[in-house]
Amino acid sequence: MTRLFAALLLTAALIPAQAATLQPDKSALSFTFKQMGVPVDGTFKKFEAQLDFDPKKPEAGKIAFTVDLGSVSLGDPSFDHELAGTPWFDTKRNGKATFVSTGIKATGPNKYDVAGKLTIKGAVRDVVVPITLNGGVAAGSVPIKRLDFKIGDGEWADTSVVANDVTVKFKLAFSGI
């Protein structure tokens, strides 16, 4: 669940801000985790990005990303309702997750590492998101630890049932680049 959020944040970092507009219908934010050893995929359907990025000066770029945690889906309404509850995302008290960049570094042609602060359920962690920018599409993935963000508290903290590792994947399409 957390991976998806991180992926969205990372993708937003690679897109030039000048006249760039996120195209939500062509973008995706997803995550994968394992439950009892079986991979489970989910998505977030609502997210926003504010971008100030020039590929010629990536170190001067700034990115802010917000994910509506209530838009999470595992493809089953009963599971989605469970994820909104207190042990997981607690969307009544923590409806949004955010990422704010603290630095962007070019790592190769069309490749960047975006460092920043990821905040979920009040927990703030430093993350580095590798992103590839091709045309108007920023894509990548980032691993996170769900328990670092208090996702799956209480009885769900047992990582033998729901793994601690979550991979967030993103593909963000922008127009006007």
Side-chain angles (χ1 to χ4, degrees):
M1 295 156 272
T2 310
R3 286 180 248 163
L4 178 59
F5 173 71
L8 288 176
L9 297 176
L10 295 177
T11 303
L14 297 179
I15 307 302
Q18 308 92 299
T21 302
L22 180 66
Q23 297 178 298
D25 59 323
K26 296 179 181 177
S27 300
L29 178 61
S30 64
F31 58 94
T32 302
F33 64 96
K34 288 187 179 181
Q35 183 166 345
M36 298 183 73
V38 177
V40 177
D41 296 319
T43 61
F44 287 98
K45 299 185 184 206
K46 294 180 184 176
F47 46 89
E48 300 172 356
Q50 294 79 42
L51 309 168
D52 180 5
F53 182 77
D54 180 349
K56 294 176 185 173
K57 300 180 197 169
E59 65 284 347
K62 295 186 187 304
I63 296 135
F65 197 81
T66 303
V67 176
D68 178 347
L69 296 175
S71 73
V72 67
S73 178
L74 292 178
D76 181 303
S78 65
F79 294 151
D80 299 348
H81 179 74
E82 177 72 22
L83 287 177
T86 304
W88 297 99
F89 286 125
D90 193 10
T91 59
K92 287 186 180 174
R93 287 184 282 207
N94 301 286
K96 306 285 183 195
T98 61
F99 174 83
V100 178
S101 67
T102 56
I104 301 172
K105 179 174 122 181
T107 59
N110 301 320
K111 295 184 183 293
Y112 305 88
D113 279 350
V114 180
K117 304 280 185 187
L118 177 59
T119 305
I120 305 172
K121 286 183 75 175
V124 181
R125 298 290 183 267
D126 291 321
V127 297
V128 176
V129 180
I131 299 175
T132 300
L133 179 61
N134 286 313
V137 178
S141 66
V142 63
I144 63 170
K145 304 282 188 190
R146 68 177 178 88
L147 294 175
D148 287 351
F149 298 96
K150 305 175 198 166
I151 298 170
D153 277 345
E155 67 182 290
W156 295 106
D158 179 358
T159 59
S160 69
V161 177
V162 177
N164 194 25
D165 297 323
V166 178
T167 300
V168 179
K169 297 170 265 187
F170 56 92
K171 179 186 99 175
L172 301 177
F174 292 84
S175 64
I177 297 176

Short mmCIF file of all heavy atoms in Angstrom, two decimals, residues 38 52 69-70 87 129 141 148 162 177:
data_model
loop_
_atom_site.label_atom_id
_atom_site.label_comp_id
_atom_site.label_asym_id
_atom_site.label_seq_id
_atom_site.Cartn_x
_atom_site.Cartn_y
_atom_site.Cartn_z
N VAL A 38 2.01 -14.68 -0.68
CA VAL A 38 1.38 -14.51 -1.99
C VAL A 38 1.38 -13.02 -2.35
O VAL A 38 0.90 -12.19 -1.57
CB VAL A 38 -0.06 -15.06 -1.98
CG1 VAL A 38 -0.74 -14.82 -3.32
CG2 VAL A 38 -0.07 -16.53 -1.61
N ASP A 52 8.35 21.57 -10.31
CA ASP A 52 9.24 22.64 -10.76
C ASP A 52 10.53 21.93 -11.13
O ASP A 52 11.38 21.70 -10.27
CB ASP A 52 9.45 23.67 -9.65
CG ASP A 52 10.36 24.81 -10.09
OD1 ASP A 52 10.75 24.85 -11.28
OD2 ASP A 52 10.69 25.64 -9.23
N LEU A 69 -5.34 8.76 0.43
CA LEU A 69 -5.28 7.39 0.93
C LEU A 69 -6.63 6.68 0.85
O LEU A 69 -6.69 5.46 0.76
CB LEU A 69 -4.74 7.36 2.36
CG LEU A 69 -3.30 7.85 2.52
CD1 LEU A 69 -2.92 7.88 4.00
CD2 LEU A 69 -2.34 6.97 1.73
N GLY A 70 -7.71 7.44 0.85
CA GLY A 70 -9.04 6.86 0.73
C GLY A 70 -9.32 6.31 -0.66
O GLY A 70 -10.31 5.60 -0.86
N PRO A 87 -5.98 0.38 11.82
CA PRO A 87 -4.69 -0.32 11.78
C PRO A 87 -3.91 -0.05 10.49
O PRO A 87 -2.68 -0.15 10.49
CB PRO A 87 -5.07 -1.79 11.85
CG PRO A 87 -6.47 -1.86 12.28
CD PRO A 87 -7.10 -0.56 11.90
N VAL A 129 13.93 8.08 -4.44
CA VAL A 129 13.14 7.44 -5.48
C VAL A 129 13.88 7.56 -6.82
O VAL A 129 14.07 8.66 -7.31
CB VAL A 129 11.76 8.09 -5.60
CG1 VAL A 129 10.92 7.42 -6.67
CG2 VAL A 129 11.05 8.06 -4.26
N SER A 141 10.02 2.73 -9.48
CA SER A 141 9.49 2.02 -8.32
C SER A 141 10.41 2.26 -7.14
O SER A 141 11.59 2.58 -7.32
CB SER A 141 9.36 0.52 -8.60
OG SER A 141 10.62 -0.07 -8.76
N ASP A 148 7.37 1.17 9.07
CA ASP A 148 7.99 2.48 9.30
C ASP A 148 6.95 3.59 9.33
O ASP A 148 7.18 4.65 9.88
CB ASP A 148 9.02 2.80 8.20
CG ASP A 148 10.29 2.00 8.32
OD1 ASP A 148 10.48 1.30 9.34
OD2 ASP A 148 11.11 2.08 7.38
N VAL A 162 1.50 -10.46 6.87
CA VAL A 162 1.61 -9.43 5.84
C VAL A 162 3.05 -8.92 5.90
O VAL A 162 3.49 -8.38 6.91
CB VAL A 162 0.62 -8.26 6.06
CG1 VAL A 162 0.82 -7.18 5.00
CG2 VAL A 162 -0.82 -8.77 6.05
N ILE A 177 5.19 19.18 -22.02
CA ILE A 177 6.63 19.12 -21.74
C ILE A 177 7.40 19.38 -23.01
O ILE A 177 7.14 18.80 -24.03
CB ILE A 177 7.02 17.75 -21.16
CG1 ILE A 177 6.32 17.58 -19.83
CG2 ILE A 177 8.51 17.62 -21.00
CD1 ILE A 177 6.53 16.24 -19.17
#
